[in-house]
Amino acid sequence: MKILTVIGARPQFIKAAALAHEVAITHSLSEVLVHTGQHYDANMSDVFFEELGIPAPAYHLGIGSASHGAQTGEMLGAIEQVIQTEQPDWLLVYGDTNSTLAGALAAAKLHVRVAHVEAGLRSFNKRMPEELNRILTDHVSDALFVPTQTAVDHLGREGIAGPHVHLVGDVMYDVALNMAGRARERSQILQDLNLSEGQYVLSTVHRAENTNEPQRLKAIVEGLQQVAQTLPVVLPLHPRTRRMATEQGLNFGAVQVVPPVGYLDMIRLEQGAALIATDSGGVQKEAYFYRVPCVTLRDETEWTELVAAGWNTLVTPTDANTLAQTIRSRLGQAGQDGQLYGTGDAARKILDILQGGLCR
């Protein structure tokens, strides 16, 4: 069986690692990786393949930043050509990026079966491009691999139910279990940045809803500045966020701004943080994996179970004072213990299902 996997962004590289490792020990399977180039910065792409032990992509489409329509359209055409060349049994996509939607649409139109890993997530905010991507991908998929019961319920309300919907857990948890020790052993990022364990806030900001809205980005920067007056704040800065902040003339002040970091360094920063403030879906989960309180800089989250369990707090980032107060109030506040995302064997379950034909 041949699986064609389309990836293009940091969280997808992480998720792809779990399946790539399982494919490597399954002789009846082969995987062809296609990297769209959606994340083209070396620290957001190449280094992740190296540190995660993912095979080099067979295809690198080199499609970088553009408007949503232009980027998705260019990906759609390029992926279609790869499908016609490779003739896979399955095309597999992860998450909710433009790469995800382009891969799913290209395969569906060529009558190649689509498998969607991390299906069923909903923010119920259709202004988010990610929400549209995940809804459309779910509705053209032949196998939907779902991380939580909440996501299964979302699909059911949209009429997507039956033997092609599979509750398998979260592949990011698979990777977190495998890489946590390696990060502590190999990463020197805390020493390099002169940080002390449990004595700093880690932040990431990249979503268009924050970076493209001047009021929100200004509130985030100023809120982090306030926190940095009393506790170090580290911000690995996404290229788009840096560009937008520069255009607005925003000053990060005491916030320790660093370039994007590799996967092991990012894990180590997450493990050692007192709190994580982020707008990333993946980082929200990683905070929980390492039992670090999280403040999500958004109006809503797909990972509602983290809020219910007390590990995650939502704050709409339109007021700097409120943002800073929320971060300070959550320091040291742990949530409920439990296993929200499976038992660390989601990748194995996915491959067993694909091979067993338990799909529509």
Side-chain angles (χ1 to χ4, degrees):
M1 178 183 291
K2 180 191 287 188
I3 299 171
L4 185 70
T5 298
V6 176
I7 52 180
R10 172 196 176 273
Q12 294 168 336
F13 308 151
I14 299 168
K15 296 164 193 171
L19 262 74
H21 294 161
E22 291 293 332
V23 168
I25 60 174
T26 308
H27 299 303
S28 58
L29 289 174
S30 65
E31 182 179 34
V32 178
L33 283 177
V34 180
H35 184 357
T36 64
Q38 186 169 338
H39 276 176
Y40 49 91
D41 181 281
N43 277 342
M44 301 185 73
S45 181
D46 297 348
V47 70
F48 280 81
F49 285 89
E50 296 167 8
E51 293 182 345
L52 287 162
I54 306 173
Y59 297 86
H60 197 305
L61 304 182
I63 300 168
S65 182
S67 68
H68 285 285
Q71 186 184 64
T72 306
E74 191 174 352
M75 289 175 181
L76 183 60
I79 294 168
E80 182 180 68
Q81 293 181 26
V82 176
I83 293 172
Q84 291 171 329
T85 299
E86 292 291 338
Q87 296 292 307
D89 298 289
W90 285 93
L91 183 135
L92 189 146
V93 290
Y94 295 90
D96 55 19
T97 69
N98 289 342
S99 300
T100 305
L101 178 60
L105 286 177
K109 287 176 177 291
L110 292 173
H111 308 295
V112 172
R113 293 178 295 177
V114 178
H116 186 199
V117 177
E118 205 175 77
L121 300 188
R122 297 292 183 267
S123 68
F124 302 101
N125 177 4
K126 289 187 178 180
R127 291 179 58 85
M128 292 174 55
E130 295 88 353
E131 181 77 351
L132 298 175
N133 290 343
R134 60 175 71 106
I135 291 172
L136 293 169
T137 300
D138 282 342
H139 280 266
V140 300
S141 292
D142 300 279
L144 296 98
F145 296 110
V146 186
T148 66
Q149 183 60 47
T150 300
V152 173
D153 296 340
H154 292 333
L155 291 173
R157 284 190 287 271
E158 295 176 17
I160 304 175
H164 63 302
V165 176
H166 306 275
L167 177 58
V168 296
D170 197 312
V171 292
M172 286 190 71
Y173 187 48
D174 296 19
V175 181
L177 290 177
N178 291 331
M179 302 296 287
R182 187 181 304 181
R184 287 190 178 277
E185 292 170 4
R186 297 188 183 181
S187 174
Q188 299 296 312
I189 190 74
L190 298 193
Q191 296 91 319
D192 293 345
L193 298 181
N194 196 28
L195 298 171
S196 298
E197 189 90 22
Q199 299 297 317
Y200 62 90
V201 170
L202 172 66
S203 184
T204 73
V205 182
H206 78 279
R207 285 191 181 270
E209 66 198 80
N210 287 329
T211 60
N212 293 349
E213 293 291 335
Q215 179 185 358
R216 292 170 76 103
L217 186 56
K218 183 172 185 288
I220 290 171
V221 171
E222 291 181 352
L224 293 177
Q225 283 179 358
Q226 290 186 31
V227 176
Q229 299 304 313
T230 55
L231 188 68
V233 176
V234 181
L235 176 64
L237 198 57
H238 190 286
R240 182 175 66 249
T241 310
R242 182 183 293 275
R243 183 175 69 252
M244 300 303 290
T246 300
E247 290 178 3
Q248 292 183 39
L250 297 177
N251 179 6
F252 288 92
V255 176
Q256 191 171 357
V257 176
V258 298
V261 299
Y263 181 61
L264 293 180
D265 283 344
M266 188 62 183
I267 285 181
R268 189 68 192 96
L269 285 170
E270 291 169 349
Q271 290 171 331
L275 180 140
I276 297 173
T278 185
D279 60 8
S280 163
V283 175
Q284 290 175 54
K285 286 188 298 179
E286 288 168 343
Y288 168 72
F289 296 157
Y290 304 121
R291 300 304 193 261
V292 175
C294 182
V295 171
T296 294
L297 310 173
R298 287 170 52 189
D299 303 318
E300 68 284 304
T301 178
E302 304 79 25
W303 305 106
T304 54
E305 57 279 348
L306 292 177
V307 177
W311 286 101
N312 194 355
T313 302
L314 289 170
V315 59
T316 298
T318 52
D319 178 76
N321 293 331
T322 300
L323 191 155
Q325 182 179 357
T326 302
I327 291 175
R328 293 191 185 106
S329 69
R330 289 294 299 149
L331 288 167
Q333 300 298 309
Q336 302 168 13
D337 205 4
Q339 293 291 338
L340 297 177
Y341 297 108
T343 54
D345 57 354
R348 185 68 260 165
K349 289 177 179 176
I350 289 168
L351 294 181
D352 288 345
I353 290 166
L354 291 178
Q355 288 186 291
L358 300 176
C359 312
R360 72 182 180 191

